[in-house]
Amino acid sequence: MVLPLLLGDQGSLPFQDCAPALPGRLLGSFLSLSPEYTFVLEDEGGPCGYAAGALHAENFLQQRDSSWLPATRHKYPPDLGTGGSEAVLFFHAEPLAVPQPVLRRFPSLVQLGTAPRVLDVGASRSLALCLLSALRANGSRGVFCQVSDADRQQLSFYSKLGFVALPVAWGSSPGSQLLGRLL
């Protein structure tokens, strides 16, 4: 599988025995449920970034929770590997519901990521704009995403794309926030 390369050198991946779960955590639901809005960035070293989205986030999240997530949980039981890796345990945590006001104003979901070796911010920006343009061309009027408060690089990148922190109470997810952008 090529997608683990998005996370860095395969030799440095933690939990080698659970490595197949890593790309599933990042892109599995998007590749299964919304492949038409999944784009990959490549350089001379191969795949090095991605931009994934769902035009109708509410439907996407319902399908993820009712069909994709249960199948993935069956495929990756929590005791897989040495005590269960973070990537495997991710599938067994209950996802937080996105507040309805967010879904009404920002009906599409996006997720962006690049490997540390990508130094050209322009390439990452072009990939993100490609996804945003595709969503807008198909009727979306706004997008949202979840970002860890600790990931300053991602927060800065989304900010430069015009995303702002959404002032909504969002479950009990300490250390992360919802960002939104109108299209």
Side-chain angles (χ1 to χ4, degrees), residues 20-106:
L22 292 169
R25 177 180 174 178
L26 288 174
L27 292 172
S29 59
F30 288 102
L31 290 169
S32 295
L33 303 172
S34 187
E36 65 276 19
Y37 296 106
T38 305
F39 302 90
V40 176
L41 178 65
E42 289 189 63
D43 64 9
E44 61 280 347
C48 60
Y50 67 91
L55 182 62
H56 302 289
E58 188 168 16
N59 292 342
F60 172 84
L61 295 171
Q62 287 172 351
Q63 286 182 326
R64 180 199 68 187
D65 296 349
S66 67
S67 62
W68 181 83
L69 200 50
T72 304
R73 286 175 176 157
H74 180 73
K75 183 176 180 179
Y76 298 107
D79 58 352
L80 181 68
T82 311
S85 75
E86 180 185 335
V88 170
L89 294 176
F90 169 84
F91 299 123
H92 295 276
E94 282 304 313
L96 295 172
V98 177
Q100 280 300 316
V102 172
L103 292 170
R104 279 193 298 273
R105 186 158 171 107
F106 307 96

Coordinates of all heavy atoms in Angstrom, one line a residue, residues 20-106:
P20 N -0.9 -1.0 8.2 CA -2.0 -0.9 7.2 C -3.2 -0.1 7.8 O -3.9 0.5 7.0 CB -2.5 -2.3 7.0 CG -1.3 -3.2 7.3 CD -0.6 -2.5 8.4
A21 N -3.3 0.1 9.1 CA -4.4 0.9 9.7 C -4.1 2.3 9.5 O -5.1 3.1 9.5 CB -4.6 0.5 11.2
L22 N -2.9 2.8 9.4 CA -2.6 4.2 9.3 C -3.2 4.9 8.1 O -3.8 5.9 8.3 CB -1.0 4.4 9.3 CG -0.4 4.0 10.6 CD1 1.2 4.0 10.4 CD2 -0.7 4.9 11.7
P23 N -3.1 4.4 6.9 CA -3.8 5.1 5.8 C -5.3 5.1 6.0 O -6.0 6.0 5.5 CB -3.3 4.4 4.5 CG -2.7 3.2 5.0 CD -2.3 3.3 6.4
G24 N -5.8 4.0 6.5 CA -7.2 3.9 6.8 C -7.7 5.0 7.7 O -8.8 5.6 7.5
R25 N -6.9 5.3 8.7 CA -7.3 6.4 9.6 C -7.3 7.7 8.9 O -8.2 8.5 9.1 CB -6.3 6.4 10.8 CG -6.5 7.6 11.7 CD -5.6 7.6 12.8 NE -5.8 8.8 13.6 CZ -5.2 9.1 14.7 NH1 -4.2 8.3 15.2 NH2 -5.4 10.2 15.3
L26 N -6.3 8.0 8.0 CA -6.3 9.2 7.3 C -7.3 9.4 6.2 O -8.0 10.4 6.1 CB -4.9 9.4 6.7 CG -3.7 9.7 7.6 CD1 -2.4 9.7 6.9 CD2 -3.9 11.0 8.4
L27 N -7.4 8.4 5.4 CA -8.2 8.5 4.2 C -9.2 7.5 3.9 O -10.0 7.6 2.9 CB -7.3 8.6 3.0 CG -6.4 9.8 2.9 CD1 -5.4 9.7 1.7 CD2 -7.2 11.1 2.7
G28 N -9.3 6.4 4.7 CA -10.1 5.3 4.4 C -11.6 5.7 4.2 O -12.2 5.2 3.2
S29 N -12.2 6.5 5.0 CA -13.6 6.8 4.8 C -13.8 7.7 3.6 O -14.8 7.5 2.9 CB -14.2 7.5 6.1 OG -13.4 8.7 6.3
F30 N -12.8 8.5 3.3 CA -13.0 9.4 2.1 C -12.8 8.5 0.8 O -13.6 8.7 -0.1 CB -11.9 10.5 2.1 CG -12.2 11.6 3.1 CD1 -11.5 11.6 4.3 CD2 -13.1 12.5 2.9 CE1 -11.7 12.6 5.3 CE2 -13.4 13.5 3.8 CZ -12.7 13.5 5.0
L31 N -11.9 7.6 0.8 CA -11.7 6.8 -0.4 C -12.8 5.9 -0.6 O -13.2 5.6 -1.7 CB -10.4 6.0 -0.2 CG -9.1 6.8 -0.3 CD1 -7.9 5.9 0.1 CD2 -8.9 7.3 -1.7
S32 N -13.5 5.4 0.5 CA -14.6 4.5 0.3 C -15.9 5.3 0.0 O -16.7 4.8 -0.8 CB -14.9 3.7 1.6 OG -13.8 2.9 1.9
L33 N -16.1 6.4 0.6 CA -17.4 7.1 0.6 C -17.5 8.3 -0.3 O -18.6 8.8 -0.7 CB -17.9 7.4 2.0 CG -18.0 6.3 3.0 CD1 -18.3 6.8 4.4 CD2 -19.1 5.3 2.5
S34 N -16.3 8.9 -0.6 CA -16.3 10.1 -1.4 C -15.0 10.2 -2.2 O -14.3 11.2 -2.2 CB -16.3 11.3 -0.4 OG -16.4 12.5 -1.1
P35 N -14.7 9.1 -3.0 CA -13.5 9.1 -3.8 C -13.4 10.2 -4.8 O -12.3 10.6 -5.2 CB -13.5 7.7 -4.5 CG -15.0 7.4 -4.5 CD -15.6 8.0 -3.3
E36 N -14.5 10.7 -5.3 CA -14.4 11.8 -6.3 C -13.9 13.1 -5.8 O -13.5 14.0 -6.6 CB -15.8 12.0 -7.0 CG -16.9 12.5 -6.0 CD -17.6 11.5 -5.1 OE1 -17.0 10.4 -5.0 OE2 -18.6 11.8 -4.6
Y37 N -13.8 13.2 -4.5 CA -13.2 14.5 -3.9 C -11.9 14.1 -3.1 O -11.6 14.7 -2.1 CB -14.2 15.1 -3.0 CG -15.4 15.6 -3.8 CD1 -16.6 15.0 -3.7 CD2 -15.3 16.8 -4.6 CE1 -17.7 15.4 -4.4 CE2 -16.4 17.2 -5.3 CZ -17.6 16.5 -5.2 OH -18.7 17.0 -5.9
T38 N -11.2 13.1 -3.6 CA -9.9 12.8 -3.0 C -8.8 12.9 -4.0 O -8.8 12.3 -5.0 CB -10.0 11.3 -2.5 OG1 -11.1 11.2 -1.6 CG2 -8.7 11.0 -1.7
F39 N -7.8 13.8 -3.7 CA -6.7 14.2 -4.6 C -5.4 13.8 -3.9 O -5.3 14.0 -2.7 CB -6.8 15.6 -4.9 CG -8.1 16.1 -5.6 CD1 -9.1 16.5 -4.8 CD2 -8.2 16.0 -6.9 CE1 -10.3 16.9 -5.4 CE2 -9.4 16.4 -7.5 CZ -10.5 16.8 -6.8
V40 N -4.4 13.4 -4.6 CA -3.1 13.0 -4.1 C -2.1 13.9 -4.7 O -2.1 14.1 -6.0 CB -2.8 11.5 -4.3 CG1 -1.4 11.2 -3.9 CG2 -3.9 10.7 -3.6
L41 N -1.1 14.4 -3.9 CA 0.0 15.1 -4.4 C 1.2 14.2 -4.5 O 1.4 13.4 -3.5 CB 0.3 16.3 -3.4 CG 1.5 17.2 -3.7 CD1 1.3 17.9 -5.0 CD2 1.8 18.1 -2.5
E42 N 1.9 14.2 -5.6 CA 3.1 13.4 -5.8 C 4.3 14.2 -6.1 O 4.2 15.3 -6.8 CB 2.9 12.4 -6.9 CG 1.9 11.3 -6.6 CD 1.9 10.2 -7.6 OE1 3.0 9.5 -7.8 OE2 0.9 10.0 -8.3
D43 N 5.5 13.8 -5.7 CA 6.7 14.4 -6.1 C 7.6 13.3 -6.6 O 7.2 12.1 -6.8 CB 7.4 15.2 -5.0 CG 7.8 14.4 -3.8 OD1 7.7 13.2 -3.8 OD2 8.1 15.1 -2.8
E44 N 8.9 13.5 -6.8 CA 9.8 12.5 -7.3 C 9.9 11.3 -6.4 O 10.3 10.2 -6.8 CB 11.2 13.1 -7.6 CG 11.9 13.7 -6.3 CD 11.4 15.1 -6.0 OE1 10.7 15.8 -6.7 OE2 11.8 15.5 -4.8
G45 N 9.6 11.5 -5.1 CA 9.6 10.4 -4.1 C 8.3 9.6 -4.0 O 8.2 8.7 -3.3
G46 N 7.3 10.0 -4.8 CA 6.0 9.3 -4.7 C 4.9 10.2 -4.1 O 5.1 11.4 -3.9
P47 N 3.9 9.6 -3.6 CA 2.8 10.3 -2.9 C 3.3 11.1 -1.7 O 4.1 10.5 -0.9 CB 1.8 9.2 -2.5 CG 2.1 8.1 -3.4 CD 3.5 8.1 -3.7
C48 N 2.9 12.3 -1.6 CA 3.5 13.1 -0.5 C 2.4 14.1 0.1 O 2.7 14.9 1.0 CB 4.7 13.9 -0.9 SG 4.3 15.0 -2.3
G49 N 1.2 14.0 -0.3 CA 0.2 14.8 0.3 C -1.2 14.4 -0.3 O -1.3 13.6 -1.2
Y50 N -2.2 14.9 0.4 CA -3.6 14.6 0.0 C -4.5 15.7 0.4 O -4.3 16.5 1.2 CB -4.1 13.3 0.6 CG -4.3 13.4 2.1 CD1 -5.5 13.8 2.7 CD2 -3.2 13.1 3.0 CE1 -5.6 13.9 4.0 CE2 -3.3 13.3 4.4 CZ -4.6 13.6 4.9 OH -4.7 13.8 6.2
A51 N -5.6 15.8 -0.4 CA -6.7 16.7 0.0 C -8.0 15.8 -0.3 O -8.2 15.3 -1.3 CB -6.7 17.9 -1.0
A52 N -8.8 15.7 0.8 CA -10.0 14.8 0.7 C -11.1 15.6 1.2 O -11.0 16.4 2.1 CB -9.8 13.6 1.5
G53 N -12.3 15.4 0.6 CA -13.5 16.1 1.0 C -14.7 15.3 0.8 O -14.7 14.2 0.1
A54 N -15.8 15.8 1.4 CA -17.1 15.2 1.2 C -18.1 16.3 0.9 O -18.2 17.3 1.8 CB -17.6 14.4 2.4
L55 N -18.8 16.3 -0.2 CA -19.6 17.4 -0.6 C -20.8 17.6 0.4 O -21.1 18.7 0.9 CB -20.2 17.1 -2.0 CG -21.1 18.2 -2.6 CD1 -20.4 19.5 -2.7 CD2 -21.7 17.7 -3.9
H56 N -21.4 16.5 0.8 CA -22.5 16.5 1.8 C -22.0 15.9 3.1 O -22.2 14.7 3.3 CB -23.8 15.9 1.2 CG -24.2 16.4 -0.1 ND1 -24.8 17.7 -0.1 CD2 -24.2 16.0 -1.3 CE1 -25.1 17.9 -1.4 NE2 -24.7 16.9 -2.1
A57 N -21.4 16.7 3.9 CA -20.8 16.1 5.1 C -21.7 15.4 6.0 O -21.4 14.3 6.6 CB -20.1 17.3 5.9
E58 N -22.9 15.9 6.2 CA -23.9 15.2 7.1 C -24.2 13.8 6.6 O -24.1 12.8 7.4 CB -25.2 16.0 7.2 CG -26.1 15.5 8.2 CD -27.3 16.4 8.5 OE1 -27.5 17.3 7.7 OE2 -27.9 16.2 9.6
N59 N -24.4 13.6 5.3 CA -24.6 12.2 4.8 C -23.4 11.4 4.9 O -23.4 10.2 5.2 CB -25.1 12.3 3.3 CG -26.5 12.9 3.2 OD1 -27.2 13.0 4.1 ND2 -26.8 13.3 2.0
F60 N -22.2 12.0 4.6 CA -21.0 11.3 4.6 C -20.7 10.8 6.1 O -20.3 9.6 6.3 CB -19.8 12.3 4.2 CG -18.5 11.7 4.4 CD1 -17.9 10.9 3.5 CD2 -17.7 12.1 5.6 CE1 -16.6 10.4 3.7 CE2 -16.5 11.6 5.8 CZ -15.9 10.8 4.8
L61 N -20.9 11.6 7.1 CA -20.6 11.3 8.5 C -21.6 10.2 8.9 O -21.2 9.3 9.7 CB -20.7 12.5 9.4 CG -19.6 13.5 9.1 CD1 -19.9 14.8 9.9 CD2 -18.2 13.0 9.4
Q62 N -22.9 10.2 8.5 CA -23.8 9.2 8.8 C -23.4 7.8 8.2 O -23.5 6.8 8.9 CB -25.2 9.6 8.3 CG -25.9 10.7 9.2 CD -27.2 11.2 8.6 OE1 -27.6 10.8 7.5 NE2 -27.9 12.0 9.3
Q63 N -23.0 7.9 6.9 CA -22.5 6.6 6.3 C -21.3 6.1 7.0 O -21.1 4.9 7.1 CB -22.3 6.9 4.8 CG -23.5 7.0 4.0 CD -23.2 7.1 2.5 OE1 -22.2 7.8 2.1 NE2 -24.0 6.6 1.7
R64 N -20.4 7.0 7.3 CA -19.1 6.6 8.0 C -19.5 5.9 9.3 O -18.9 4.8 9.6 CB -18.3 7.8 8.2 CG -16.9 7.5 9.0 CD -16.3 8.7 9.6 NE -17.2 9.1 10.8 CZ -17.0 10.2 11.4 NH1 -16.0 11.0 11.1 NH2 -17.7 10.6 12.5
D65 N -20.3 6.5 10.1 CA -20.6 5.9 11.4 C -21.5 4.7 11.3 O -21.4 3.8 12.2 CB -21.3 7.0 12.2 CG -20.5 8.2 12.5 OD1 -19.2 8.1 12.3 OD2 -21.0 9.2 13.0
S66 N -22.4 4.5 10.3 CA -23.3 3.4 10.3 C -22.7 2.2 9.5 O -23.1 1.1 9.8 CB -24.6 3.8 9.7 OG -24.5 4.2 8.3
S67 N -21.9 2.4 8.5 CA -21.4 1.3 7.7 C -19.9 1.2 7.7 O -19.3 0.1 8.0 CB -22.0 1.3 6.3 OG -21.6 2.5 5.7
W68 N -19.2 2.3 7.3 CA -17.7 2.2 7.2 C -17.0 1.9 8.5 O -16.2 1.0 8.6 CB -17.2 3.4 6.5 CG -15.7 3.4 6.3 CD1 -15.1 2.8 5.2 CD2 -14.7 3.9 7.1 NE1 -13.7 2.9 5.4 CE2 -13.4 3.6 6.5 CE3 -14.7 4.5 8.4 CZ2 -12.2 3.9 7.1 CZ3 -13.5 4.9 8.9 CH2 -12.2 4.5 8.3
L69 N -17.4 2.6 9.5 CA -16.7 2.5 10.8 C -16.9 1.1 11.4 O -15.9 0.5 11.9 CB -17.1 3.6 11.8 CG -16.2 3.9 12.9 CD1 -14.8 4.1 12.6 CD2 -16.7 5.1 13.7
P70 N -18.1 0.5 11.4 CA -18.3 -0.8 12.0 C -17.4 -1.9 11.2 O -16.9 -2.8 11.8 CB -19.8 -1.1 11.8 CG -20.4 0.2 11.9 CD -19.4 1.2 11.2
A71 N -17.4 -1.8 9.9 CA -16.6 -2.7 9.1 C -15.1 -2.6 9.4 O -14.4 -3.5 9.5 CB -16.9 -2.5 7.6
T72 N -14.7 -1.3 9.6 CA -13.3 -1.1 9.9 C -12.9 -1.6 11.3 O -11.8 -2.1 11.5 CB -13.0 0.4 9.7 OG1 -13.3 0.8 8.4 CG2 -11.5 0.7 10.0
R73 N -13.8 -1.4 12.2 CA -13.6 -1.9 13.6 C -13.5 -3.4 13.6 O -12.7 -4.0 14.3 CB -14.8 -1.5 14.5 CG -14.7 -0.1 14.9 CD -16.0 0.3 15.7 NE -15.9 1.7 16.1 CZ -16.9 2.5 16.4 NH1 -18.1 2.0 16.4 NH2 -16.7 3.7 16.8
H74 N -14.3 -4.1 12.7 CA -14.2 -5.5 12.6 C -12.8 -5.9 12.0 O -12.2 -6.9 12.4 CB -15.3 -6.1 11.8 CG -15.3 -7.6 11.6 ND1 -15.6 -8.4 12.6 CD2 -15.0 -8.3 10.5 CE1 -15.5 -9.7 12.2 NE2 -15.1 -9.6 10.9
K75 N -12.4 -5.2 11.0 CA -11.1 -5.5 10.3 C -9.9 -5.2 11.3 O -8.9 -5.9 11.2 CB -11.0 -4.6 9.1 CG -9.7 -4.8 8.3 CD -9.8 -4.0 7.0 CE -8.5 -4.2 6.2 NZ -8.6 -3.4 4.9
Y76 N -10.0 -4.2 12.1 CA -8.9 -3.8 13.0 C -9.4 -3.9 14.5 O -9.7 -2.9 15.1 CB -8.4 -2.4 12.7 CG -7.8 -2.3 11.3 CD1 -8.4 -1.6 10.4 CD2 -6.5 -2.9 11.0 CE1 -7.9 -1.5 9.1 CE2 -6.0 -2.8 9.8 CZ -6.7 -2.1 8.8 OH -6.2 -1.9 7.5
P77 N -9.4 -5.1 15.1 CA -9.9 -5.2 16.5 C -8.9 -4.4 17.4 O -7.7 -4.2 17.1 CB -9.9 -6.7 16.8 CG -9.0 -7.3 15.7 CD -9.0 -6.4 14.5
P78 N -9.4 -3.9 18.5 CA -8.6 -3.1 19.4 C -7.4 -3.8 19.9 O -6.4 -3.1 20.3 CB -9.5 -2.7 20.5 CG -10.7 -3.6 20.5 CD -10.8 -4.1 19.1
D79 N -7.3 -5.1 20.0 CA -6.2 -5.8 20.5 C -5.1 -6.1 19.4 O -4.2 -6.8 19.7 CB -6.6 -7.1 21.3 CG -7.4 -8.0 20.4 OD1 -7.8 -7.6 19.2 OD2 -7.7 -9.1 20.9
L80 N -5.3 -5.6 18.2 CA -4.4 -5.9 17.1 C -3.0 -5.3 17.5 O -3.0 -4.1 17.9 CB -4.9 -5.2 15.8 CG -4.0 -5.4 14.6 CD1 -4.0 -6.9 14.2 CD2 -4.6 -4.6 13.4
G81 N -2.0 -6.0 17.3 CA -0.7 -5.5 17.5 C -0.3 -5.5 19.0 O -1.0 -6.2 19.8
T82 N 0.7 -4.8 19.4 CA 1.2 -4.8 20.7 C 0.3 -3.9 21.6 O 0.5 -2.7 21.6 CB 2.6 -4.3 20.8 OG1 3.4 -5.1 19.8 CG2 3.2 -4.5 22.2
G83 N -0.7 -4.4 22.2 CA -1.6 -3.6 23.0 C -2.5 -2.6 22.2 O -3.1 -1.8 22.8
G84 N -2.5 -2.7 20.9 CA -3.3 -1.8 20.1 C -2.6 -0.5 19.9 O -2.2 0.2 20.8
S85 N -2.4 -0.1 18.7 CA -1.7 1.1 18.4 C -2.7 2.3 18.4 O -4.0 2.1 18.3 CB -1.1 1.1 17.0 OG -2.0 1.2 16.0
E86 N -2.2 3.5 18.4 CA -3.1 4.7 18.3 C -3.9 4.6 17.1 O -5.1 5.0 17.1 CB -2.2 5.9 18.3 CG -3.0 7.2 18.3 CD -2.2 8.5 18.2 OE1 -1.0 8.4 18.7 OE2 -2.7 9.5 17.7
A87 N -3.4 4.2 15.9 CA -4.1 4.2 14.7 C -5.3 3.2 14.8 O -6.4 3.5 14.3 CB -3.2 3.8 13.5
V88 N -5.1 2.0 15.4 CA -6.1 1.1 15.5 C -7.2 1.5 16.5 O -8.4 1.4 16.3 CB -5.6 -0.3 15.9 CG1 -6.7 -1.3 16.3 CG2 -4.7 -0.9 14.8
L89 N -6.7 2.0 17.7 CA -7.7 2.5 18.7 C -8.5 3.7 18.2 O -9.6 3.8 18.7 CB -6.9 2.9 20.0 CG -6.2 1.7 20.7 CD1 -5.4 2.1 21.9 CD2 -7.2 0.6 21.1
F90 N -8.0 4.4 17.3 CA -8.8 5.6 16.7 C -10.1 5.1 16.2 O -11.1 5.7 16.3 CB -7.9 6.2 15.6 CG -8.7 7.2 14.7 CD1 -8.9 8.5 15.1 CD2 -9.3 6.8 13.5 CE1 -9.6 9.4 14.3 CE2 -10.0 7.7 12.7 CZ -10.1 9.0 13.2
F91 N -10.1 3.9 15.5 CA -11.4 3.4 14.9 C -12.4 3.0 16.0 O -13.6 2.9 15.7 CB -11.1 2.2 14.0 CG -10.2 2.5 12.9 CD1 -9.0 1.8 12.7 CD2 -10.5 3.4 12.0 CE1 -8.1 2.1 11.6 CE2 -9.7 3.7 10.9 CZ -8.5 3.0 10.7
H92 N -11.9 2.8 17.2 CA -12.8 2.3 18.3 C -13.4 3.4 19.2 O -14.2 3.2 20.0 CB -12.1 1.2 19.1 CG -11.9 0.0 18.2 ND1 -12.8 -1.0 18.0 CD2 -10.8 -0.4 17.5 CE1 -12.4 -1.9 17.1 NE2 -11.1 -1.5 16.8
A93 N -12.9 4.6 19.0 CA -13.4 5.8 19.7 C -14.7 6.2 19.0 O -14.8 6.2 17.8 CB -12.4 6.9 19.7
E94 N -15.6 6.7 19.8 CA -16.9 7.2 19.2 C -16.6 8.6 18.7 O -16.1 9.5 19.4 CB -18.0 7.2 20.3 CG -18.6 5.9 20.6 CD -19.2 5.2 19.4 OE1 -19.9 5.9 18.6 OE2 -18.9 4.0 19.2
P95 N -16.9 8.8 17.4 CA -16.7 10.1 16.8 C -17.7 11.1 17.4 O -18.8 10.8 17.7 CB -16.9 9.9 15.3 CG -17.6 8.6 15.2 CD -17.4 7.8 16.4
L96 N -17.2 12.3 17.5 CA -18.1 13.4 18.0 C -19.0 13.8 16.9 O -18.6 13.9 15.8 CB -17.3 14.6 18.5 CG -16.4 14.3 19.7 CD1 -15.5 15.5 20.0 CD2 -17.2 14.0 20.9
A97 N -20.2 14.2 17.3 CA -21.2 14.7 16.3 C -20.9 16.1 16.0 O -20.6 16.9 16.9 CB -22.6 14.6 16.9
V98 N -20.9 16.5 14.8 CA -20.7 17.9 14.4 C -21.9 18.7 14.6 O -23.0 18.2 14.2 CB -20.2 18.0 12.9 CG1 -20.0 19.4 12.4 CG2 -19.0 17.1 12.6
P99 N -21.9 19.8 15.3 CA -23.1 20.6 15.6 C -23.8 21.0 14.3 O -23.2 21.3 13.3 CB -22.5 21.8 16.3 CG -21.2 21.4 16.8 CD -20.7 20.4 15.8
Q100 N -25.2 20.9 14.4 CA -26.0 21.2 13.2 C -25.7 22.6 12.7 O -25.8 22.8 11.4 CB -27.5 21.1 13.6 CG -28.0 19.6 13.6 CD -27.8 19.0 12.2 OE1 -28.2 19.6 11.2 NE2 -27.3 17.8 12.2
P101 N -25.5 23.7 13.5 CA -25.2 25.0 12.9 C -24.0 25.0 12.0 O -24.0 25.7 11.0 CB -25.0 25.9 14.1 CG -25.7 25.2 15.3 CD -25.6 23.7 15.0
V102 N -23.0 24.1 12.3 CA -21.8 24.0 11.5 C -22.2 23.4 10.2 O -21.9 23.9 9.1 CB -20.7 23.2 12.2 CG1 -19.5 22.9 11.2 CG2 -20.2 24.0 13.4
L103 N -22.9 22.3 10.2 CA -23.3 21.6 9.0 C -24.2 22.4 8.1 O -24.2 22.3 6.9 CB -24.0 20.3 9.4 CG -23.1 19.2 10.0 CD1 -24.0 18.1 10.6 CD2 -22.1 18.7 9.0
R104 N -25.1 23.3 8.7 CA -25.9 24.1 7.9 C -25.1 25.2 7.1 O -25.4 25.5 6.0 CB -27.0 24.8 8.7 CG -28.2 23.8 9.0 CD -29.4 24.6 9.6 NE -29.1 25.2 10.9 CZ -29.2 24.6 12.1 NH1 -29.6 23.4 12.1 NH2 -28.9 25.3 13.2
R105 N -24.2 25.8 7.8 CA -23.4 26.9 7.2 C -22.3 26.4 6.4 O -21.9 27.1 5.4 CB -22.9 27.8 8.3 CG -22.2 29.1 7.8 CD -22.3 30.2 8.8 NE -21.4 31.3 8.4 CZ -21.9 32.4 8.0 NH1 -23.2 32.6 7.9 NH2 -21.1 33.4 7.6
F106 N -21.7 25.3 6.8 CA -20.5 24.7 6.1 C -20.8 23.3 5.8 O -20.4 22.4 6.5 CB -19.3 24.8 7.0 CG -19.0 26.2 7.5 CD1 -19.4 26.6 8.8 CD2 -18.3 27.1 6.8 CE1 -19.2 27.9 9.3 CE2 -18.0 28.4 7.2 CZ -18.5 28.8 8.5

